[in-house]
Amino acid sequence: PHAPYVPPEPFRTRYRNDPYAGEIAYTDAVVGRMIEDLSSRKLLDATLIAVVGDHGEGLGEHGEQTHSLLIYNSTIHVPMLLHLPGLIPAAKTVDHLSRTIDLAPTILDYLGFSQAIGQGTSLRPMVEGTDLDAEIMAYSESLYPSLNLGWSELRALEADGYRFILAPRPELYDLGEDPGETKNRIDAFPEVADRLERRLASLMESMSGSNGHARQLVDSRTHEMLQSLGYVSSGHSPKTEAASRVDPKDNIELWTKIESGLALFNQGDDSGALDVFKRALAEDGDIPILYDHIGWSYIRLNQYDRAEKTYRQAIEHGFDSVDLRTNLGLIYYRWGEYEKAEQELQTALKLEEGDL
């Protein structure tokens, strides 16, 4: 499920008081139809089926309602189910730490291709009750706070039953005694924290040449879809020391407010979204995503003068982006100010070239 939760009928009516559960029920029904079809064609026992989640939803844990901001196991810990009669034991549960990047190597291993692929490792030995040759460490990150909010990014490493989160106020959790990550044990186990932080630093260094800051081009429809889901940043936050000290968990109430505005925006309620965004901006005037969505809301309400003023305020705060300059160019073009329009669109092209 992904917010906003809008399951199709009959699940929308059946779960009108819990649309999140309605989306789960709908997904379960779709998977069920696939299994029934395989069974009816006598293919089920010869088919490897894998079901895995890409993320969870906070649903209020740690103050987070959905996902993308924080990186606790309430959103990072996901289900992984494998079915292959004759090779994978029915009802077998693996309690050992595993990762979604391990899914492809595991599937290929069961299909007879055991060569290494990506950064993952085959989980087949654990499924069959033997030890892995390599140690498993689970890395997670959230760059969303940095790219969209001007706050600190978050990175984490889980290993040996502990989870370390690198943040302005770092955290360490003993998952054996505290699976809900409610008791920060960083002062109680400084040696564990230091060891995991060093391993995290080493892992980040190994990824520095090719990791997630590189941008990839997608078509405009895909970009718009990803942006509506919160996966694409349209604003560039200045990398200031002050911004890097803002810990996302300390601003979770403000984020909840912003998220409610984003939900209204995605539902087409631009007036309602504007009210929320402007109240949030009054609390913190250095959040790029607010200028972006306030400007877009004004455009969708045909209030181009207010949109232009908002974008100019964003530039004065040091925020800039392809979308911002493109929208300014289109506003000036609409007003017949063609020289200004060309200037803004040329700036947008230069920004996009810098992102390639």
Side-chain angles (χ1 to χ4, degrees), residues 96 109 114 121-126 130-136:
H96 195 282
D109 193 358
S114 57
T121 187
S122 173
L123 302 175
R124 184 172 182 175
M126 288 197 300
T130 60
D131 294 331
L132 291 175
D133 293 334
E135 178 190 16
I136 285 187

Side-chain angles (χ1 to χ4, degrees), residues 58-70:
L59 301 180
E61 289 189 57
H62 301 281
E64 187 173 31
Q65 295 301 317
T66 58
H67 69 279
S68 76
L69 188 75
L70 306 179

